[in-house]
Amino acid sequence: AQSVSQHNHHVILSEAASLELGCNYSYGGTVNLFWYVQYPGQHLQLLLKYFSGDPLVKGIKGFEAEFIKSKFSFNLRKPSVQWSDTAEYFCAVRSNTGKLIFGQGTTLQVKP
Amino acid sequence: DAGVIQSPRHEVTEMGQEVTLRCKPISGHDYLFWYRQTMMRGLELLIYFNNNVPIDDSGMPEDRFSAKMPNASFSTLKIQPSEPRDSAVYFCASSPNTGGKETQYFGPGTRLLVL
């Protein structure tokens, strides 16, 4: 069965620190990969997505993610976080049936 | 476009009562998804529709849960009877049919508390 694993459940960083959130998926076929963000009290919003082509994907707000097929990974990165990046981050893979499989989420807390 | 619209935004009810959650997808979107989010289980897909037809309801927890999509612009998720363990945030999402490269757009969610 397809699954998504996010290794970091809770991350605390100071402003200007670099961020990397891990995401690994299990699926042997062609994958569509997503990172969603959920700010406190709000709904999920798409940060970035990968379908094909350049494995380094740029998203909104300075986020990027790299698809490494050999490692089944799609880690999210940001060189310098801000307090406003405090949120919960979800990695997801789209299955061949069309539905999204979400990871458990990573809560990021950025200290000002 | 107004985005995905959900109502009510908050619902507090007593155990045993019927709860109906409503969703209006983005106009033109062919797919509609219902999710449940809890601290313990994270984000779970309950059911999704394509062109108003339920495609996969394997995530529906039990017979107390039912979902309908009578037309392209409206869907309901009903819980009857409700139980305290149903307390969660329920999200509706929709996506266009773009040949497999669809992005899901989420609504604001309904925060349900069953006492």
Side-chain angles (χ1 to χ4, degrees), chain A residues 24-46:
Chain A
N24 286 90
Y25 63 93
S26 64
Y27 180 59
T30 302
V31 290
N32 300 150
L33 295 158
F34 304 81
W35 274 98
Y36 280 85
V37 59
Q38 186 178 25
Y39 297 103
Q42 297 189 26
H43 60 284
L44 278 79
Q45 303 170 48
L46 183 68

Side-chain angles (χ1 to χ4, degrees), chain A residues 11-25:
Chain A
V11 174
I12 302 174
L13 295 173
S14 298
E15 275 194 315
S18 64
L19 169 73
E20 180 159 3
L21 302 182
C23 173
N24 286 90
Y25 63 93

Side-chain angles (χ1 to χ4, degrees), chain A residues 34-83:
Chain A
F34 304 81
W35 274 98
Y36 280 85
V37 59
Q38 186 178 25
Y39 297 103
Q42 297 189 26
H43 60 284
L44 278 79
Q45 303 170 48
L46 183 68
L47 262 184
L48 48 79
K49 59 188 178 184
Y50 171 80
F51 290 140
S52 63
D54 188 345
L56 185 61
V57 180
K58 303 284 187 183
I60 61 171
K61 303 185 181 184
F63 286 90
E64 64 178 31
E66 185 175 13
F67 169 56
I68 303 179
K69 190 175 181 180
S70 61
K71 295 183 178 180
F72 296 91
S73 70
F74 190 56
N75 293 355
L76 181 71
R77 299 195 293 249
K78 186 171 183 178
S80 175
V81 295
Q82 301 172 309
W83 177 78

Side-chain angles (χ1 to χ4, degrees), chain B residues 86-98:
Chain B
D86 301 330
S87 298
V89 181
Y90 291 81
F91 288 102
C92 176
S94 70
S95 70
N97 186 356
T98 57

Side-chain angles (χ1 to χ4, degrees), chain B residues 70-111:
Chain B
N71 57 62
S73 60
F74 183 66
S75 177
T76 59
L77 177 68
K78 187 175 292 187
I79 309 172
Q80 167 62 16
S82 58
E83 296 181 4
R85 60 193 169 116
D86 301 330
S87 298
V89 181
Y90 291 81
F91 288 102
C92 176
S94 70
S95 70
N97 186 356
T98 57
K101 295 187 176 183
E102 55 274 357
T103 296
Q104 292 186 22
Y105 298 85
F106 283 77
T110 295
R111 192 172 297 273

